[in-house]
Amino acid sequence: MNIPKNLKYSPDHEWIKVDGDSAYIGITDFAQSELGDIVFVEFPEVGDKFSAGDVFGTVEAVKTVADLFAPISGEVIEINDTLENSPEAINTDVYNEGWIIKIKVANAEELGNLLDPQDYKGLLT
Amino acid sequence: MHYIPCTDAQEKELLSKIGVSTFEELIEIIPSNLRVKDEIGIGMPLSEFESERVAKSLISKNITASENLCFLGGGAYDHFVPKAVDAIAARSEFYTAYTPYQAEVSQGTLQYLYEFQTMICELSGMDVANASLYDGASAVAEACSLALSSTRYSKIAISKTVNPKYCEVVETYLQNRDVEIIFIDAEDGKTDFSQIENHIEGLAGLVVQSPNYYGVLENWTSAKEKLENSKTLLIAVSDPVSLSIIKSPGDCGADIYAGEGQSLGNYMSYGGPFLGLLAVKSQLVRRMPGRIIGKTVDKEGKEGFVLTLQTREQHIRRENATSNICTNQGLIALRATIYMSIMGKSGLPALAKMCFEKVQYTAEKLSDLKNISFPFGMDFIKEFTIKINNSAKELKLNALKKSIFINTIHGDKTDSLIQICVTEKRTLEEIDILIDFLKTV
């Protein structure tokens, strides 16, 4: 299972990559392998605001659908619209091409509540 | 359906297999205070002959369209149903497998539903149709839900020329949701589209029926123009027979088509079961309610049919599903499929033209009568509305005494409007009987 060291993780199997005062959010390698082939991503709209734990979208696999939970609070500033036509990027390159949304971080302190790679690995075993 | 009786010996065998000695023992788990103790007041058992006599005497009290002159419209239509529809639909391969729980095993069922969807797409000019909903009214309500969830707005506008029964069902569907329903006024029997701009802010969908409840053709293209530069979806409602000769909702820019499919090979049957039609442009497919059948190939490359996009549905998406509909009107959709394939691409428009010509004949004759006027113009296909100087309700009852079915307009406070529908079944002689009767107004 690929768990990059430079990312933070949520117990809901999302990863977050902080980039200044914004952050990229996607689902983890574990999540994509459990779901199987991703066929559709339902995005929020740019400008939507979420609190930590809110549902901000869904990912659909062939036979199931999973909610996406915001790991921290923030405002959506970009969505990865290449996933609209090639959602399979989540399966093939989950930590790069497979990012789902970019948010403006509302409260950097919340990052402290997230799991580091070691803890996330522990959660899976 | 077959009646399968159970002999005393069979009942005994059944009970012993279950492991009880009497029927009473089987239902012991139901508390005795909840069980019926005395006779339930339906009399003693009757013989087959006696019960047939009772049934026939009850049936004879019915006043039916087959023994009277039916000029009723407004959502249920007296079109001819070819006997082949009854014969093919009653084949046990279709009839007993109409609701396949192990769907992919019933390839025949999936194939006719796939063909049904294809034909509804062709009629409506849409990209995707589902395998049907309960009836036209619930299809319109589901279309509104679809518009609400897809735009994330909470306001729906419905033209006042939409069938009032459909409007009531939409209100019922949405009554416990935080949704505002606006009714757009009509002028001379047509929607006043100039009103739309007052409501466009945050509007999820606009519902326009054509031909509308008064029988009048509306202009979906004009409606769509009013929605330019907004996210508002145009929901077009229409009778599928009329659709075969008018510009399709899809070609007029509508985003969703909803309609009642009874007129496709199904009897009026006192109002049901009917057939809800729903079709959408492809970008809305993931929010569409109901079952969708897809065509694919198996691992050997052979063609096959499957339930597809099930992740939209309640059994997978749970509380986030956009609809609680996980079912369809299988048998009624089957009849519609058989009917459309019998009529064909030339037969259905030819039928609609026959209705149109007969309606024109009727309207022309009536326009000569001085006590009858046409308040909503003459743009109609199967049905139209007339205005009389006397009570419409009284006229309807007097017509019934002469074995003529005509109806009043629902919610008409002036008590002066009458709706007249002329299908291909009405002969010129029958139409002349109606005209002679209306001369007495």
Side-chain angles (χ1 to χ4, degrees), chain B residues 161-222:
Chain B
T161 70
V162 172
N163 189 318
K165 295 291 178 191
Y166 295 3
C167 297
E168 284 172 22
V169 171
V170 172
E171 286 182 301
T172 306
Y173 251 71
L174 301 178
Q175 66 185 352
N176 292 320
R177 290 171 60 177
D178 193 14
V179 172
E180 186 189 356
I181 302 175
I182 294 150
F183 289 97
I184 305 289
D185 285 328
E187 205 169 308
D188 302 331
K190 282 190 186 182
T191 313
D192 179 6
F193 292 128
S194 72
Q195 285 191 20
I196 291 164
E197 55 189 318
N198 305 330
H199 304 290
I200 195 87
E201 185 78 34
L203 186 64
L206 168 68
V207 186
V208 180
Q209 181 178 354
S210 178
N212 66 27
Y213 177 59
Y214 304 111
V216 181
L217 284 163
E218 297 265 12
N219 192 331
W220 287 314
T221 308
S222 303

Side-chain angles (χ1 to χ4, degrees), chain B residues 87-109:
Chain B
I88 299 169
R91 288 186 62 104
S92 57
E93 299 94 323
F94 283 135
Y95 212 78
T96 60
Y98 77 96
T99 178
Y101 288 98
Q102 216 184 331
E104 278 77 16
V105 173
S106 305
Q107 283 293 307
T109 299

Side-chain angles (χ1 to χ4, degrees), chain A residues 40 42-43 60-61 64 67, chain B residues 152 286-287 311 317 320:
Chain A
F40 184 67
E42 189 176 47
F43 293 102
E60 267 186 43
T64 189
D67 283 332
Chain B
R152 302 181 205 194
R286 286 183 184 276
R287 294 194 171 271
T311 40
R317 198 172 278 255
N320 292 329

Side-chain angles (χ1 to χ4, degrees), chain A residues 39-40 42-43 45 48 58 60-65 67, chain B residues 150-152 231 286-287 309-312 316-317 319-320:
Chain A
V39 293
F40 184 67
E42 189 176 47
F43 293 102
E45 284 181 25
D48 284 354
T58 54
E60 267 186 43
V62 177
K63 295 229 164 171
T64 189
V65 59
D67 283 332
Chain B
S150 129
T151 57
R152 302 181 205 194
K231 288 202 306 187
R286 286 183 184 276
R287 294 194 171 271
L309 292 171
Q310 289 190 73
T311 40
R312 299 166 293 112
I316 292 178
R317 198 172 278 255
E319 71 272 20
N320 292 329

Side-chain angles (χ1 to χ4, degrees), chain B residues 264-375:
Chain B
L264 301 170
N266 287 287
Y267 299 104
M268 294 189 287
S269 313
Y270 304 93
F274 274 12
L275 177 65
L277 308 176
L278 190 74
V280 300
K281 290 282 172 70
S282 55
Q283 63 269 26
L284 293 171
V285 66
R286 286 183 184 276
R287 294 194 171 271
M288 189 184 208
R291 317 234 82 181
I292 299 176
I293 314 303
K295 189 167 82 169
T296 186
V297 287
D298 68 10
K299 63 179 178 183
E300 289 159 12
K302 286 187 290 190
E303 181 181 283
F305 298 90
V306 291
L307 281 173
T308 193
L309 292 171
Q310 289 190 73
T311 40
R312 299 166 293 112
E313 295 183 63
Q314 185 182 237
H315 62 288
I316 292 178
R317 198 172 278 255
R318 301 303 201 185
E319 71 272 20
N320 292 329
T322 52
S323 166
N324 65 340
I325 300 289
C326 272
T327 181
N328 72 315
Q329 284 282 38
L331 276 178
I332 313 300
L334 169 66
R335 295 182 61 96
T337 312
I338 297 165
Y339 179 80
M340 286 188 280
S341 54
I342 290 171
M343 299 302 285
K345 275 194 175 174
S346 55
L348 200 58
L351 173 99
K353 278 179 198 145
M354 273 172 83
C355 298
F356 177 73
E357 280 159 14
K358 289 184 175 188
V359 160
Q360 294 301 320
Y361 171 84
T362 314
E364 249 165 60
K365 287 258 182 165
L366 289 179
S367 62
D368 292 339
L369 305 183
K370 62 176 186 299
N371 293 330
I372 288 174
S373 62
F374 290 79

Side-chain angles (χ1 to χ4, degrees), chain B residues 391-404 406 437 440:
Chain B
S391 162
K393 281 180 191 145
E394 249 170 59
L395 184 73
K396 171 183 163 175
L397 293 176
N398 288 337
L400 191 56
K401 285 179 199 154
K402 306 264 184 195
S403 297
I404 299 170
I406 49 176
F437 168 74
T440 65

Side-chain angles (χ1 to χ4, degrees), chain A residues 32-97:
Chain A
Q32 72 78 21
S33 74
E34 287 290 303
L35 289 166
D37 291 343
I38 305 293
V39 293
F40 184 67
V41 181
E42 189 176 47
F43 293 102
E45 284 181 25
V46 170
D48 284 354
K49 289 187 176 125
F50 296 100
S51 300
D54 284 354
V55 173
F56 70 81
T58 54
V59 281
E60 267 186 43
V62 177
K63 295 229 164 171
T64 189
V65 59
D67 283 332
L68 296 165
F69 297 94
I72 57 168
S73 310
E75 179 183 336
V76 180
I77 52 176
E78 203 180 337
I79 60 166
N80 183 4
D81 48 22
T82 61
L83 296 178
E84 281 174 1
N85 291 320
S86 37
E88 66 278 5
I90 292 179
N91 298 109
T92 54
D93 192 9
V94 70
Y95 293 111
N96 295 300
E97 297 289 308

